[in-house]
Amino acid sequence: MQKMLTLFFLLHCLLTDAQTAINPNLLKGSWGASWVTCPNVPQRDYGVYHFRKNFSIDSLPQQFIVHVSADNRYRLFVNGIAVCSGPARGDLYNWYFESINIASYLRKGANTIAAMVWNMGVHAPVAQISNQTAFVLQGDGDKEKIINTDKTWKVLRDSSYTPCSLDNGARVKSYMVVGPGDQVDATKYPWGWEQPAYNDGRWEQALAIGNPVNVGYGSDNLWSLQPRNIPLMFEKMQRIPSVRRTEGMEIGNDFLAGNKPLMIPANKKVSILLDQSFNTVAYPQLITSKGKNAEIKLSYTEALLVDTNSAKYKGVNVNGPQRRKDFQKGNRNDVDSKLVVGNYDIFISDGGEQRIFRPLWFRTYRYMQVDIVTKDEPLVINDLYGMATGYPFEVKASFKSNDSSLQEIWDIGWRTAQLCAGETYFDCPYYEQLQYEGDTRIQSLISLYVTGDDRLMRKAILDFYHSRVPEGLTQGRYPSSRLQVIPPFSLYWVSMLYDYWMHRNDFKFVEQFLMPVAGVLDWYEKKIDQEKNMLGPMKWWNFVDWNQKFPGGTPDGANDGNSSVITFQYIYTLKQAAELFSFFGKTNEANYYRLLADKLGKSTFTACFDPKKFVIANTPLKNTFSQHANIMAILSGSVPLPMQQKIMMNTLSDTSLSQATFYYRFYLNRALNYTGNANKYYKELKPWRDMIDLGLTTFAEEPDPTRSDCHAWSSSPNYDFFATICGITPSKPGFAAVRIAPALGELNHVVGSMPHPSGMIKVEIRKTAEVGISADITLPDNVPGVFVWKGKSIPLRAGHQQIKL
């Protein structure tokens, strides 16, 4: 039965990717349904609730569309089957609702619709904005309105849930803001509550607290509703392949296949370490029988931590510098003399049959440790597996080369990007699950090049637009219940708009953001030091990179004035903005931005260039130097053309410069392309090869010792394999024309295929001699282009063509 429900849920997720039509009358004014909640409970405190309504229909409809939302979250069931989860994360001004056709779940006669709703209160993830506990369901038309939420719905507060995994002793000591674990006492859980046969006679009547209102309407809104603008997340079963170690009894892999239950004797203490073999994001599903009062603790970690007190590691500097002593991990495949420290859930059995425990929110793990303490009755573990989840990207791109090791970089990079994409982009799925502009710009480009799906990028652009503070900046991450402003990330939001404009013919969407773009640029203009014609002191957190020489990621001069790094980034963004404004007919603004960029570029280069080192310093004091200053100086066009090559080569070779980490290497690669040195990119992949040698199955936040083992800003090879090695980039806005300038480096043969709004771009490139090349290229209909190789430019037409040089 459980397997059938799992397959049914997966099928439903696949079928509901298409946008469900919404009655246009529901997109204005208020709804007829009511927001409902549980009476006599603190409305903003932690709580888990069950809502349900029994209803009857005389015949089976072709469609039966409902619109659903909740605060914080819900999981919707129809006749006992889970059909939808949500809402997509937003804010109180843009509170999303899901639209679902539930006709296929209905029966002629009696039916039950039910929802599990939870509010994490003060323990909620920082990415979760909230007002109070509430649930709403609105029928699309007359036939569906019989199940509108109102006082005919019933509700039960679930006393079996308490938050856990809140102590720093069990969690890694770090910035951990993903919400609590779930401790569930099965003796208090209302088993079968979502089934039609359940007796809800003792449940309370739901309390109506007001009518739902759409954005742009209402005068006292608790939430302002918006239709969900991304597809539902996928779920699919994911078996755990192996047991790596046990304590208390010998246990093999058999039970993990789901065919052979595992029996834990009475009064026994057992520990089982499971290895998914790769990092994943999933809902663990534990199915147990018997074992009354047994406690099962599920702990999750991306990597085991070295037990530095063990004989194996005592006195050994496992991962280099001790600046993050809590993150000593070593090779991720090794488990000996290592500890499980991480997030956890606890399930206390009631002795019933086929009890299913699933946490309210997904978990991130490669390793899962199952710690079991039984009481007077043996416990049966019938099954344990994950339901992998995330944004339903469909991979359309492919890349192959004569270096087979690049395939592993490709696979791991895409896994990293996939795990960092849900209802928003995530910086990391384990620690934060927050959407930052700096990360999201890179993630969005990867999504476009690998899948062609731009919906999550559009949502991210909107999310950051909705985050703006009175000063005109966007917040550094959003949605977020805590204020954090990172001014350089506001510049990256402008760069994201530029990227979207270049890659998508969706100009009306872009045009609406010109005024907010001007607001970001104006904030920076007001910070210009008029004497030096550079940026002066700036407020907030001026993060650039987790560089060891940048305290808190902030370069010299950012806070006290005259940072060349951020001044050059501002210039880089001014020039992108000038192109945007010019395209939309804002000629005066475009010219102004160009003139300002040129003025700042000349003065900042003059003030910070060091002729002895032949690189650019972080400030006019010329006492600290970084790759970052030189990268942004080049990308902003502020380095005189005759000096570009030498500065670029010194940026690569001068190890006295503080170095770019995985994140900022994305911009290092852009500088290589800008200066005509893209062929050097292939040799710059060593940091990714090093991570693979350490057993990582996703790419990390920064070099070891690292906090996060899964950080999508480190997945840039999945973009650069196409944009740099294959050399595929848009040459006109909307990807109306293509530039193909391959840079194989030491490679001899590459084959690439990537999605374009009009079809697929396909290239196969071979070196034929020391300087010769053969290229097979296919462009979509009505998409022209140019092929560039060693200073030669050859026009390309739509369709297939061959080039030999």
Side-chain angles (χ1 to χ4, degrees):
M1 180 64 179
Q2 179 59 31
K3 291 180 181 176
M4 289 179 64
L5 291 178
T6 297
L7 291 172
F8 201 97
F9 189 84
L10 174 58
L11 179 62
H12 171 77
C13 288
L14 294 174
L15 291 176
T16 54
D17 273 353
Q19 185 71 38
T20 301
I22 302 172
N23 182 342
N25 292 324
L26 295 177
L27 296 178
K28 54 189 177 182
S30 61
W31 290 358
S34 297
W35 283 103
V36 294
T37 189
C38 183
N40 304 315
V41 298
Q43 293 297 317
R44 291 179 175 171
D45 286 2
Y46 175 95
V48 178
Y49 307 92
H50 304 283
F51 292 84
R52 58 180 273 142
K53 179 181 176 69
N54 297 317
F55 66 103
S56 182
I57 55 176
D58 296 330
S59 60
L60 293 178
Q62 287 275 327
Q63 67 176 28
F64 200 94
I65 296 171
V66 297
H67 311 288
V68 196
S69 193
D71 187 348
N72 297 170
R73 298 192 65 81
Y74 72 88
R75 192 175 185 216
L76 186 71
F77 297 80
V78 179
N79 292 323
I81 298 174
V83 299
C84 181
S85 296
R89 279 179 173 165
D91 56 30
L92 297 181
Y93 189 89
N94 301 275
W95 198 268
Y96 293 105
F97 64 88
E98 283 69 43
S99 300
I100 305 294
N101 183 2
I102 63 171
S104 61
Y105 304 97
L106 298 177
R107 308 165 182 170
K108 187 176 180 180
N111 290 267
T112 299
I113 188 162
M116 189 174 193
V117 175
W118 59 93
N119 185 342
M120 293 292 100
V122 296
H123 307 298
V126 168
Q128 180 65 59
I129 294 172
S130 175
N131 191 338
Q132 67 160 81
T133 301
F135 173 66
V136 66
L137 186 146
Q138 169 70 50
D140 192 62
D142 288 340
K143 68 175 179 291
E144 296 101 340
K145 70 181 182 181
I146 61 170
I147 57 172
N148 283 3
T149 45
D150 56 22
K151 63 182 180 180
T152 65
W153 279 67
K154 292 191 172 182
V155 62
L156 173 74
R157 182 181 180 276
D158 189 339
S159 62
S160 70
Y161 277 85
T162 53
C164 66
S165 191
L166 301 170
D167 54 302
N168 281 332
R171 288 184 167 188
V172 177
K173 296 177 182 177
S174 180
Y175 187 62
M176 178 79 73
V177 291
V178 295
D182 301 327
Q183 180 167 322
V184 177
D185 183 347
T187 64
K188 300 177 182 179
Y189 188 82
W191 295 103
W193 68 273
E194 74 280 22
Q195 301 294 333
Y198 183 85
N199 183 358
D200 59 15
R202 295 187 177 182
W203 287 28
E204 292 186 89
Q205 187 181 83
L207 175 67
I209 56 173
N211 292 108
V213 181
N214 287 283
V215 169
Y217 299 89
S219 60
D220 192 25
N221 300 10
L222 294 169
W223 305 266
S224 295
L225 292 174
Q226 287 268 31
R228 184 182 179 111
N229 52 11
I230 56 172
L232 297 175
M233 301 300 101
F234 75 86
E235 284 193 26
K236 63 180 179 182
M237 180 182 281
Q238 189 176 72
R239 287 284 175 193
I240 303 170
S242 64
V243 174
R244 292 295 300 275
R245 72 183 180 205
T246 62
E247 296 177 17
M249 63 184 288
E250 291 294 321
I251 298 170
N253 296 332
D254 294 350
F255 83 99
L256 294 173
N259 300 319
K260 186 178 180 181
L262 174 64
M263 176 77 74
I264 308 295
N267 301 307
K268 192 80 172 175
K269 186 175 182 180
V270 175
S271 182
I272 312 166
L273 179 65
L274 306 177
D275 184 357
Q276 184 68 57
S277 78
F278 52 82
N279 215 356
T280 192
V281 166
Y283 290 96
Q285 296 209 165
L286 170 70
I287 305 172
T288 68
S289 297
K290 301 182 172 35
K292 187 172 183 178
N293 296 322
E295 180 177 296
I296 306 106
K297 179 181 179 183
L298 304 178
S299 300
Y300 318 99
T301 184
E302 295 182 305
L304 304 186
L305 300 185
V306 168
D307 182 358
T308 53
N309 294 319
S310 70
K312 181 175 179 179
Y313 291 107
K314 196 163 188 178
V316 177
N317 185 3
V318 180
N319 283 334
Q322 296 296 308
R323 62 195 174 92
R324 284 199 164 181
K325 63 181 180 179
D326 292 322
F327 298 108
Q328 301 295 313
K329 299 176 181 178
N331 191 291
R332 305 314 196 260
N333 297 319
D334 297 338
V335 301
D336 293 342
S337 301
K338 287 188 174 181
L339 306 171
V340 173
V341 181
N343 302 329
Y344 63 87
D345 298 305
I346 295 173
F347 179 67
I348 301 170
S349 174
D350 68 335
E353 294 292 325
Q354 297 287 319
R355 298 308 201 198
I356 301 175
F357 169 75
R358 165 184 164 125
L360 297 173
W361 190 238
F362 64 75
R363 305 300 184 222
T364 305
Y365 57 91
R366 172 180 171 174
Y367 293 99
M368 182 192 303
Q369 184 160 292
V370 186
D371 293 306
I372 303 166
V373 179
T374 58
K375 301 300 183 182
D376 296 335
E377 183 181 20
L379 173 72
V380 177
I381 297 182
N382 301 98
D383 208 351
L384 175 58
Y385 54 89
M387 290 296 290
T389 189
Y391 186 92
F393 283 123
E394 178 186 347
V395 174
K396 295 181 179 178
S398 62
F399 177 87
K400 294 189 182 301
S401 74
N402 61 289
D403 180 355
S404 59
S405 70
L406 295 189
Q407 186 64 45
E408 192 168 15
I409 295 176
W410 166 271
D411 291 342
I412 292 175
W414 177 246
R415 179 184 296 124
T416 307
Q418 174 71 80
L419 299 190
C420 293
E423 293 168 352
T424 63
Y425 287 108
F426 305 145
D427 62 325
C428 57
Y430 191 87
Y431 293 90
E432 298 185 43
Q433 297 170 19
L434 287 163
Q435 180 174 249
Y436 293 83
E437 290 102 321
D439 310 57
T440 300
R441 184 194 182 193
I442 298 169
Q443 292 169 273
S444 297
L445 287 168
I446 294 168
S447 300
L448 293 182
Y449 271 61
V450 176
T451 74
D453 189 334
D454 57 33
R455 290 171 291 182
L456 197 58
M457 182 182 190
R458 281 173 56 96
K459 182 178 185 297
I461 290 170
L462 283 166
D463 286 341
F464 294 128
Y465 167 68
H466 296 150
S467 79
R468 289 173 301 151
V469 300
E471 294 176 49
L473 295 172
T474 61
Q475 294 184 43
R477 63 192 187 195
Y478 205 75
S480 173
S481 62
R482 302 178 190 173
L483 179 68
Q484 182 191 79
V485 177
I486 307 177
F489 279 18
S490 295
L491 296 176
Y492 285 137
W493 177 69
V494 178
S495 295
M496 275 183 66
L497 279 169
Y498 177 85
D499 295 340
Y500 188 80
W501 171 67
M502 287 298 295
H503 288 85
R504 287 294 180 269
N505 183 1
D506 193 5
F507 302 140
K508 186 176 181 180
F509 176 76
V510 175
E511 188 175 14
Q512 67 181 309
F513 301 112
L514 293 183
M515 186 179 294
V517 166
V520 171
L521 301 178
D522 181 63
W523 185 90
Y524 272 96
E525 186 175 358
K526 291 174 180 176
K527 301 296 182 290
I528 293 173
D529 179 338
Q530 298 298 329
E531 182 180 339
K532 290 189 171 66
N533 272 320
M534 295 178 64
L535 291 174
M538 290 174 287
K539 299 187 298 181
W540 303 106
W541 182 23
N542 292 286
F543 175 86
V544 166
D545 189 14
W546 287 125
N547 178 297
Q548 292 187 41
K549 298 295 179 65
F550 292 171
T554 302
D556 294 343
N559 298 331
D560 51 0
N562 304 141
S563 163
S564 68
V565 181
I566 301 179
T567 302
F568 286 130
Q569 186 188 345
Y570 177 43
I571 297 164
Y572 168 74
T573 311
L574 280 168
K575 292 184 175 181
Q576 290 177 328
E579 290 189 53
L580 284 170
F581 277 77
S582 178
F583 180 84
F584 290 107
K586 308 287 185 181
T587 306
N588 291 339
E589 292 91 335
N591 290 337
Y592 181 79
Y593 292 147
R594 290 190 186 101
L595 289 171
L596 179 59
D598 289 343
K599 182 174 74 170
L600 294 175
K602 289 174 184 176
S603 58
T604 304
F605 178 81
T606 300
C608 298
F609 176 68
D610 186 314
K612 292 182 180 179
K613 292 178 71 69
F614 214 87
V615 292
I616 295 155
N618 292 333
T619 69
L621 296 176
K622 301 178 185 177
N623 55 0
T624 63
F625 299 84
S626 66
Q627 286 187 319
H628 308 70
N630 292 273
I631 289 166
M632 273 300 162
I634 289 168
L635 287 179
S636 67
S638 302
V639 177
L641 185 60
M643 303 170 71
Q644 281 183 8
Q645 291 301 318
K646 187 172 182 179
I647 288 178
M648 185 75 254
M649 293 307 100
N650 288 346
T651 301
L652 288 176
S653 62
D654 188 346
T655 57
S656 70
L657 308 183
S658 60
Q659 300 291 293
T661 69
F662 305 145
Y663 161 53
Y664 219 81
R665 278 180 167 269
F666 172 81
Y667 294 99
L668 173 62
N669 299 335
R670 307 281 68 72
L672 289 174
N673 280 266
Y674 186 94
T675 56
N677 290 290
N679 277 304
K680 296 185 182 297
Y681 171 72
Y682 176 71
K683 282 190 174 180
E684 293 297 315
L685 289 169
K686 184 178 183 302
W688 285 270
R689 300 183 191 277
D690 290 345
M691 283 190 274
I692 293 172
D693 289 343
L694 279 172
L696 276 92
T697 60
T698 47
F699 289 134
E701 181 177 14
E702 58 179 324
D704 269 350
T706 183
R707 175 189 67 149
S708 167
D709 268 14
C710 183
H711 234 76
W713 70 15
S714 299
S715 292
S716 58
N718 289 70
Y719 169 74
D720 273 307
F721 282 9
F722 296 105
T724 298
I725 294 178
C726 294
I728 303 170
T729 56
S731 59
K732 290 184 179 179
F735 228 147
V738 180
R739 182 177 189 267
I740 300 178
L744 275 63
E746 288 68 35
L747 294 169
N748 297 316
H749 180 214
V750 298
V751 181
S753 176
M754 62 162 283
H756 178 280
S758 298
M760 296 295 292
I761 298 173
K762 300 178 180 179
V763 300
E764 181 171 6
I765 302 166
R766 293 181 185 273
K767 289 182 179 176
T768 57
E770 188 172 333
V771 293
I773 194 169
S774 170
D776 275 82
I777 298 170
T778 302
L779 298 183
D781 291 345
N782 302 313
V783 178
V786 62
F787 183 84
V788 180
W789 178 258
K790 295 190 180 297
K792 296 181 179 180
S793 296
I794 299 173
L796 298 172
R797 65 184 186 281
H800 177 257
Q801 52 236 283
Q802 290 183 316
I803 295 172
K804 291 186 178 181
L805 294 172

